[in-house]
Amino acid sequence: MTNLFCRLFIAIILTFVSTVLHAQTFKAERLKKAVEVLGLQIVKDSLMPDTTLSLKSKDGRSVCLRTDLMGEIEHVGIPLFNDIMRFLQPSPVYDFLEYAALNWKYKINPNQLYLSKVIFKKGSWELLLRGRLNECECFIENREDKLYVVTWQSAGQDVAVIGIPIEYELLNNDTRRNMERDFIKHLRESNVIVKRPKPTIVDENNLSLYGIEDLYVLPGKSYIVSLLNQNVYYKLTTVYEAADTVINNKPVTINVEGILPVVVNDPEFPAESFANLLNCNDSSVPDVTIELDFHLSNYHREHISMPLSRFKAFCRQQGCGLYFACDGVHGDIVRGVLFASNLPKGYNHLLSLRISKAQLFTDNPSVDADVYLYIPPIDKEKLFGIAPTKKSGVKLKLQ
């Protein structure tokens, strides 16, 4: 009878854990498989958005698990780096090595050929698994955007030294095809409701004169080069606002004239108007419908239509900053590029955009986008025809 109760109790626990596991969402199938293989018991409601937990695998090993801003599990791995270093020096190295060490030990992915690209000058996968390296001092060196060299030290002595080729698919422990598929799946399932605020009055003191067109710019952040930015363009415009007052002891509503900076949406300035459509988050411009034509690996294509505000919100939830540049006006077509950039994790989503002038100034504009997912960070000299710098010709060695 006792054995019967024990078996019944274990079955209930396993059912509970399985239910919680399936209720939790994962950013990639490999993460779900890792949780299953390790036997991690996730307590219901313990995973809040943007949370890191320390859990025990079924064989007693300490494992870290992290969720993103939407509460999805985005990382499972052996703790190899301390949290302060992660905060001060963002890098794709952290998640790669912490998951790769798990994969080497537990064979989560049966194809482990990619692990052979990791170069150990000192140490081994066994050392990573048992060394408590998250308590050591650590340094990461980027050698000419070709190789990361990771060094752990204790009392000034090297504990482990590893070289990792800077290849996006390697650093994400996954294939491009799987990453693209997961991105599109999560984008389709996203139910982000974006409420854009009303336009805010901009302080003229924050504006800078732009060119010779009597335009003004509110400078935003830039990506690599100043041409790719988050700038918003304004023009001083006469506006009339209703104001209540009292004349001859009677309440009266009058129109008050004023000159205020207003977001440019003018056929005379198509490039600046296009930038404002892409960069403005309030209702000073219409919400654009974006027709996303995904160019995927193996020449596959997929199409999704949605509000631009929803797409941008989804990208921000993935940790991306958004930067736009107008590529020029060609006849009746205005062209531009939009970068959704996640530099800490080492990738960009690149959107090549086009819109007709007739669409640009309608109440419900629609922009066409050719989308290329998970593009590595682009060198400054490769953007917009900037002349390349002379290569050093140095051969990289782990020494």
Side-chain angles (χ1 to χ4, degrees):
M1 182 65 71
T2 301
N3 288 337
L4 178 62
F5 277 118
C6 287
R7 288 197 296 270
L8 181 61
F9 177 74
I10 292 172
I12 292 172
I13 292 297
L14 290 176
T15 301
F16 170 76
V17 172
S18 176
T19 301
V20 173
L21 178 62
H22 287 294
Q24 188 64 47
T25 56
F26 297 80
K27 293 197 75 169
E29 282 298 316
R30 63 180 176 83
L31 300 174
K32 181 177 180 180
K33 188 173 181 182
V35 170
E36 293 171 341
V37 170
L38 295 167
L40 299 180
Q41 297 189 13
I42 304 173
V43 178
K44 189 177 182 181
D45 298 328
S46 66
L47 289 182
M48 302 298 289
D50 198 20
T51 300
T52 300
L53 294 179
S54 179
L55 302 174
K56 291 290 185 182
S57 65
K58 59 187 178 184
D59 60 358
R61 188 179 302 281
S62 293
V63 177
C64 58
L65 182 147
R66 188 181 69 247
T67 59
D68 65 7
L69 294 174
M70 295 301 294
E72 291 185 314
I73 294 175
E74 68 173 0
H75 174 58
V76 180
I78 297 290
L80 298 175
F81 305 92
N82 64 63
D83 293 337
I84 295 176
M85 182 177 182
R86 280 179 171 271
F87 176 76
L88 294 177
Q89 188 182 354
S91 172
V93 165
Y94 307 130
D95 286 1
F96 164 70
L97 274 180
E98 291 186 344
Y99 176 85
L102 273 187
N103 194 18
W104 180 86
K105 171 66 176 177
Y106 294 99
K107 309 296 186 292
I108 298 162
N109 178 2
N111 182 3
Q112 297 192 328
L113 184 61
Y114 77 98
L115 295 179
S116 64
K117 294 186 176 183
V118 179
I119 309 163
F120 282 91
K121 180 188 176 186
K122 184 170 185 178
S124 61
W125 290 111
E126 291 96 333
L127 176 65
L128 298 188
L129 289 165
R130 69 172 187 269
R132 301 175 66 90
L133 296 183
N134 59 317
E135 299 176 4
C136 294
E137 194 172 11
C138 184
F139 308 92
I140 297 178
E141 177 189 357
N142 181 333
R143 296 191 180 177
E144 295 194 353
D145 291 327
K146 293 181 174 63
L147 187 74
Y148 287 119
V149 178
V150 187
T151 304
W152 288 268
Q153 290 184 345
S154 179
Q157 300 296 315
D158 291 350
V159 176
V161 182
I162 301 176
I164 306 166
I166 300 180
E167 299 173 7
Y168 183 70
E169 293 178 33
L170 171 68
L171 291 169
N172 279 269
N173 289 285
D174 213 342
T175 65
R176 178 173 296 277
R177 183 177 179 183
N178 285 342
M179 291 185 292
E180 292 170 342
R181 181 182 60 194
D182 287 338
F183 180 93
I184 291 175
K185 174 177 179 290
H186 285 85
L187 179 62
R188 289 188 187 279
E189 294 173 351
S190 67
N191 55 358
V192 181
I193 299 174
V194 181
K195 292 185 178 180
R196 300 195 305 153
K198 293 181 179 179
T200 55
I201 297 176
V202 176
D203 187 343
E204 290 183 45
N205 294 323
N206 295 329
L207 299 177
S208 302
L209 190 63
Y210 177 74
I212 59 173
E213 304 286 0
D214 198 26
L215 293 180
Y216 295 83
V217 61
L218 182 65
K221 293 182 180 179
S222 295
Y223 168 80
I224 299 184
V225 293
S226 59
L227 290 170
L228 276 164
N229 53 53
Q230 300 167 350
N231 294 351
V232 179
Y233 300 91
Y234 292 82
K235 189 174 184 180
L236 294 182
T237 306
T238 301
V239 297
Y240 299 91
E241 292 187 358
D244 295 327
T245 186
V246 176
I247 301 177
N248 297 328
N249 296 321
K250 293 182 179 180
V252 177
T253 300
I254 62 174
N255 285 329
V256 179
E257 181 180 296
I259 298 178
L260 297 174
V262 174
V263 172
V264 172
N265 185 25
D266 188 333
E268 189 178 352
F269 307 108
E272 291 76 18
S273 298
F274 197 18
N276 288 342
L277 276 181
L278 272 293
N279 285 329
C280 285
N281 290 318
D282 62 33
S283 56
S284 57
V285 297
D287 196 3
V288 178
T289 298
I290 188 164
E291 303 291 339
L292 300 161
D293 184 11
F294 289 92
H295 295 247
L296 306 174
S297 53
N298 298 326
Y299 303 102
H300 292 171
R301 302 279 282 272
E302 284 205 39
H303 183 270
I304 299 176
S305 177
M306 65 172 52
L308 175 64
S309 57
R310 178 180 159 194
F311 177 78
K312 288 164 62 175
F314 176 80
C315 289
R316 289 193 180 101
Q317 288 169 356
Q318 306 298 309
C320 294
L322 294 144
Y323 307 89
F324 174 78
C326 184
D327 194 29
V329 182
H330 308 273
D332 189 47
I333 302 297
V334 189
R335 297 184 179 276
V337 291
L338 182 70
F339 272 58
S341 175
N342 192 329
L343 287 180
K345 294 193 176 179
Y347 70 79
N348 299 305
H349 304 311
L350 173 62
L351 288 79
S352 177
L353 308 171
R354 60 194 176 277
I355 189 170
S356 67
K357 289 183 182 178
Q359 273 288 317
L360 183 57
F361 301 105
T362 63
D363 292 335
N364 300 291
S366 177
V367 59
D368 294 315
D370 292 310
V371 188
Y372 305 88
L373 297 175
Y374 297 108
I375 305 298
I378 296 176
D379 293 337
K380 182 184 293 188
E381 61 265 18
K382 294 180 182 178
L383 291 171
F384 304 102
I386 296 174
T389 56
K390 191 173 182 179
K391 299 295 181 181
S392 66
V394 174
K395 293 185 178 179
L396 298 172
K397 293 182 180 180
L398 189 57
Q399 58 185 13

